[in-house]
Amino acid sequence: MRTCLRASALLTAAALCGLALAEFTGPAPLAWRWAQPTRVASGGVPQIQGDRVFVAVGGRIYAVDRTTGNTIWRFPRGEAAEANFRNGCILADGQVYAAADDGSVYAVNAESGALVWQHLHPVAVTTNLIAAGNNVFFGDTRNQIHGLDRGTGQPVSQTGVAVSEGLQTRLGSVEGAVLYSTARGSLVRLNPVTLRADWTQRFQRLSNNGAFTVFGERIYVNSGSFVAAARASNGAIIWQRNVGRDLDLAPAAGPDGVAVVSRDGNLFTFNLQGNAVFPRGVKLDSAPIVPPVFVGRFVAVAGTNGALNLVNPTTGDLVWNYVLPPIVTRVSTPATGGQGGGNMGEMGGAAGGNMGVGAGAGAAGGGGQPAGSPTTVNFTQAGGSPILAGNSLMIVTRDGSLLLFDRNLGVDLTAPTTRMVWPTPGQEVAGKAPMEIVFRLEDVGIGVNPETIKVDINGQNYIGELSRDGFLSIRITSASTVNRPLQNGRAVITVTASDWLGNTSVTKVNL
């Protein structure tokens, strides 16, 4: 089954992915990377029809060949639109729909890329688009929900649906209806024909992005530190559990249960009865940047540190880890260590800019360097949750890229690269404890397998800790029986690392 998401199926992206990802069993090499220029952070989930992938990046909508990564068509064909597509696009009934930040909503023929219709809304669109019934719906800056006829682009109502409690930025679809949340904690199912609420369920609070996911006949909701399961038919609560940590982004839902990731980067999973599998959570080293999703039996979590993690929800084991590489490695000089990051034009964010934060370890600053020194930004961040069709896992990144991982299409014969970032190789430093040595490990092809890393200093084994964003830290203390203080003189440090396919590199540096 190659088609993972069709808007007319009236299910959320997360629900459809849970049905189609069973073929993805673990690490897969990068087959290709497609990229287009953009002034704002790209978002959304790729839409798939056969061997075509549809994305909206910058001022254009694109159709991309899934097997080659080549552009099939782009809209507009001439100059790009002056506005930007920030929330991706959706696919329904052979047409691609996307809303730009100037209020324009477009319908484009999925086969040819020709314009079917354009609707100019008087104010900016603030939510994603969804297809429900015969219409496409969106929310705007006036806290109103509007519907457009998918065939003609004509409004289904001149006034729209006013949301007096304040409309959150994410819409969903459930059983053919519209699902939205409010700033005061209400979850509402809206009938797409009558434009009246079928039901309203109130929660103590809901995050700005909605924090709900639909799977089958259930809706899973994050409310503060609680995760709840509700019936799609009437909104009644089936169960709710307190994980004891703040939850923000929407849960991941699958046929066997639900997974949530806290703001401080801990993964919690529950079965269909609401029983916790990991009451204490599984540490991921980073907050999520987009909602987690199920990929077959596993949970995929993309973090603010640029790492894409695949976790077994029943054992907590890391199945795969890949650091999303930037198109161009950038250098920024933060005011303090461990913060900052590059940006592209208007692109930026709370996580330190579009390209993220090069986070070091221990006493080192960002990128493993002292506070105030230039920080190399070694990753980009996910713009939307990953999705899979057949054996291909795809993800849109904030720098305008679409990455595809596939065991059959991708080939990786290159071993990881290792470089010392602190101290400088060949430098003279005091050998007394405590001290820290930091390396940066990179593998663009498939990622570094943390279980394969070995560190040797002057013939003795040392223990290093690899962060999810690729920094290897060797901490040396006077109290350690393993990482013992170094003697004066030359230290030869050897780092051995393999990627997930077994390609191995051995790197030696002098200190």
Side-chain angles (χ1 to χ4, degrees), residues 433-435 475-481 483-485:
M435 70 175 299
R475 294 183 177 88
I476 298 173
T477 65
S478 56
S480 175
T481 59
N483 291 2
R484 292 167 294 192

Side-chain angles (χ1 to χ4, degrees), residues 81-95:
E82 293 185 3
N84 293 282
F85 299 101
R86 298 174 183 263
N87 291 308
C89 58
I90 62 171
L91 176 67
D93 300 332
Q95 293 185 168

Side-chain angles (χ1 to χ4, degrees), residues 387-457:
I387 194 171
L388 190 141
N391 295 322
S392 300
L393 180 71
M394 286 165 280
I395 189 169
V396 170
T397 59
R398 291 168 61 87
D399 61 5
S401 297
L402 173 65
L403 282 70
L404 180 138
F405 303 88
D406 191 294
R407 287 174 178 260
N408 299 322
L409 299 177
V411 177
D412 179 19
L413 302 176
T414 305
T417 60
T418 303
R419 59 183 176 87
M420 179 184 280
V421 296
W422 181 258
T424 304
Q427 183 179 356
E428 291 186 4
V429 298
K432 66 178 182 178
M435 70 175 299
E436 183 176 28
I437 303 172
V438 182
F439 288 83
R440 169 70 177 176
L441 278 63
E442 296 177 280
D443 188 271
V444 176
I446 196 171
V448 180
N449 185 345
E451 299 296 326
T452 66
I453 296 173
K454 297 180 180 178
V455 179
D456 177 287
I457 302 180

Side-chain angles (χ1 to χ4, degrees), residues 272-289:
L272 294 178
Q273 291 71 44
N275 298 321
V277 179
F278 297 110
R280 296 184 179 181
V282 176
K283 187 178 179 181
L284 297 177
D285 292 349
S286 172
I289 189 72

Side-chain angles (χ1 to χ4, degrees), residues 314-511:
T314 59
T315 66
D317 294 333
L318 179 69
V319 178
W320 182 37
N321 169 262
Y322 182 86
V323 180
L324 300 169
I327 296 175
V328 178
T329 299
R330 294 172 176 265
V331 176
S332 75
T333 305
T336 58
Q339 300 294 325
N343 58 59
M344 296 176 62
E346 300 175 14
M347 300 176 66
N354 165 64
M355 293 302 183
V357 181
Q369 301 171 67
S373 65
T375 299
T376 302
V377 184
N378 296 286
F379 58 84
T380 186
Q381 295 171 324
S385 301
I387 194 171
L388 190 141
N391 295 322
S392 300
L393 180 71
M394 286 165 280
I395 189 169
V396 170
T397 59
R398 291 168 61 87
D399 61 5
S401 297
L402 173 65
L403 282 70
L404 180 138
F405 303 88
D406 191 294
R407 287 174 178 260
N408 299 322
L409 299 177
V411 177
D412 179 19
L413 302 176
T414 305
T417 60
T418 303
R419 59 183 176 87
M420 179 184 280
V421 296
W422 181 258
T424 304
Q427 183 179 356
E428 291 186 4
V429 298
K432 66 178 182 178
M435 70 175 299
E436 183 176 28
I437 303 172
V438 182
F439 288 83
R440 169 70 177 176
L441 278 63
E442 296 177 280
D443 188 271
V444 176
I446 196 171
V448 180
N449 185 345
E451 299 296 326
T452 66
I453 296 173
K454 297 180 180 178
V455 179
D456 177 287
I457 302 180
N458 291 342
Q460 300 294 319
N461 289 329
Y462 278 69
I463 303 298
E465 180 180 351
L466 182 68
S467 65
R468 296 292 172 91
D469 53 347
F471 286 94
L472 175 66
S473 175
I474 302 106
R475 294 183 177 88
I476 298 173
T477 65
S478 56
S480 175
T481 59
V482 179
N483 291 2
R484 292 167 294 192
L486 301 178
Q487 301 298 317
N488 289 334
R490 182 185 300 273
V492 180
I493 306 172
T494 304
V495 178
T496 304
S498 301
D499 64 17
W500 292 96
L501 289 177
N503 300 307
T504 303
S505 65
V506 179
T507 303
K508 292 187 177 183
V509 296
N510 294 319
L511 184 64

Side-chain angles (χ1 to χ4, degrees), residues 255-323:
D256 299 320
V258 60
V260 297
V261 182
S262 63
R263 288 183 180 179
D264 58 0
N266 284 273
L267 172 71
F268 301 86
T269 60
F270 301 84
N271 62 19
L272 294 178
Q273 291 71 44
N275 298 321
V277 179
F278 297 110
R280 296 184 179 181
V282 176
K283 187 178 179 181
L284 297 177
D285 292 349
S286 172
I289 189 72
V290 293
V293 293
F294 270 92
V295 288
R297 298 180 294 111
F298 308 123
V299 180
V301 184
T304 56
N305 60 356
L308 176 60
N309 303 296
L310 206 62
V311 181
N312 187 319
T314 59
T315 66
D317 294 333
L318 179 69
V319 178
W320 182 37
N321 169 262
Y322 182 86
V323 180

